[in-house]
Amino acid sequence: MQEEEVSQIFTPEMIDTMARIWTRSIITLIDVRFQNVAPQHPLEQYKMPSSMFIYTYGGEAQIQLNETSFGMERFGLVHGGKGSLLSISPKGDSVKTFMVLYKAELPFLFKKHLQQLLEHVNPFVQQFGYTPSNPILLFDWFQQMMNGWNRGKAMDQLQAKSFLYQLIHGVYRDFAGGEIRYLQPDPACSAKIYLDKHYRESIMFQEIADMFGISGGQLTRLFKKKEGMSLQEYLIQRRIEAACHDLKHTEATIKEIAIGSGFADEKNLFRMFKKYYKMTPSDYRKINALSMQVDGIDNDSHHLYNERELVSLVRSYRDGESTMFGQVRRKEMILAAAMSLMLLLSACTSGAPANNGGTVNPIPEQTQQTTQPEVSQTRTISTIKGDVQVPNNPQRVVVDYLIGDVVALGVTPLGVARVSRGETEAVFANQITDSIKIAMEPEDVMTLEPDLIILAWGDENYENLSKIAPTIYVPYGDMTTEERIQFIGGVLNKQEEAEAVLNAYAKKIEEAKLALQNEGLSDVTITMGEFSDKSNYIAGAKHAVGELVYNQLQMQAPSKVKTDIIDTDKYWGDISMEVLGAYIGDYLLSIGDTVVPVDNEVWKSLPAVQNNRIVTVGTSLSWSTDIMTSSALIDHIVNKLVELAK
């Protein structure tokens, strides 16, 4: 750890704050142990049952806490919080180790004040390692602490506890003196090690910062200074790197690869590929599949995150398009041949006189004079993919995700995307009984001979679908409900219907807010998410249900949900059961087909659970953002909340 970075972590103000917390907290000494760790029998992945001080001496060793590795030469003092994984690996001779286990609790009198201090720095979970300025004095304290503790008498254990406080004072005195050598690495290095190992999992950067007892902002600043990029940028790069490997070497679907690489969903993976690679994951897979067939081409020689290299990849893809999509080109030729045959047959069977002997009967002069110019049958729609010519009155519409929007505008789709869940229970199920359920793959869509395709999910197929029929891509995640309905209304030439649908929806929102107000529910706090014994995912305002509740119905979120999830623009927050209570509001919305953890004591202690203020939002109402589903979701939530309030 560099000296200037150490001074930024243990500033005089921070040391003073930590001392205040120690002074006013209730400290319980749990145990004092001694262990001789030999090279042939290292201590590996010991899960610390409480906060601990570990003092080692006698030789060179590698001490690891979670993802942080400390290199010790002769003496080393390390501290970590409960649940940390401790490993000690001597490099030569055995090393002798003292372990002091303690527990810290907040007294009732100062609890609120101390909680505010703990939000800035938590000395009980703080992770650090250094060579003490007076290692012999520390050895004496640890030895007397262990001797007193092992004698078992109250006075002896009281003396052992006094040595613990002397130890803490000595540590902070060393910090304040600034003339000690910290054991490597620094938080930025450790954060990188952690991300390299856990990038496929849901990650909260504050949890990494908590390992060192520093703020998330401080960790971000240190990481960016060392690595030249933010924590988020590095995490995305690691996930994209994993996705690239899977795209090249597996047959997994895009969705499977997205989830397996750590992305929230495939849409997120598409967006990041567009940003970094200027292509879709499917395009990347096709390019690499082809180039890997050519001898002498080393695919792995490309630098994954070098924009200049990526441009060349995209250029080679565009130039070689006819080769890469040979199968699609052949299908286009088949369609063209079929169309030519249809035109030929229509000419043979029409009422026009036959062509006999090469003589063509002329069109009567009067007909030529009275023929009017044909009115245009298409319109131009501006989209993020460019201008698209669409039919004035589309009759054979295929739509993938926003089915409820299309149905609400009075159009029954010819084909709809086959969904994995919620289809049979969807609020528009009765309106699409005659619609054909298909996968949104070019081969399946082609069989329906559509005259318009509305695509809102999986835009990696956009280019191929646009060769079959005019294709409109709807970036629904970047649009408000009003913008989306007006846009789709313009595409379908249903502008008046769109206005009527939006007016009805706005009226529903106002009526819902009034109903909540009349029952005194306007100011209550709402928490929504998926809850279970193993994990709790709290939804933010980017989630479909969260956007409706927090942004449209303007209901209140608990302060922790707002600061940790909504204000940081997160879709979900992965919250452990131990701290779940801080994120729970007056009412709970349980999203999806989850199993409520009724046997968990923390769960049972929540006021919302004790008062039975839980509203279940099933899969059919939470999987889509279309306006029909949103309308039904408003009715469901408001009715259930009003019912519970009464």
Side-chain angles (χ1 to χ4, degrees), residues 500-515:
V501 167
L502 288 173
N503 288 338
Y505 188 72
K507 182 179 179 182
K508 179 180 285 290
I509 292 287
E510 293 305 314
E511 290 175 348
K513 290 159 66 174
L514 181 61

Side-chain angles (χ1 to χ4, degrees), residues 395-400 403-404 406-407 411-418 423 428-438 448:
Q395 299 296 311
R396 303 174 64 83
V397 179
V398 172
V399 58
D400 69 337
I403 303 169
V406 174
V407 171
V411 175
T412 300
L414 168 67
V416 296
R418 185 189 304 118
E423 180 183 22
F428 45 77
N430 291 335
Q431 286 91 337
I432 61 170
T433 53
D434 295 330
S435 300
I436 302 171
K437 282 69 172 181
I438 61 169
L448 299 183

Side-chain angles (χ1 to χ4, degrees), residues 621-637:
L621 291 178
S622 62
W623 76 280
S624 179
T625 59
D626 69 83
I627 199 164
M628 290 187 69
T629 302
S630 296
S631 296
L633 182 57
I634 291 171
D635 291 337
H636 175 76
I637 291 175

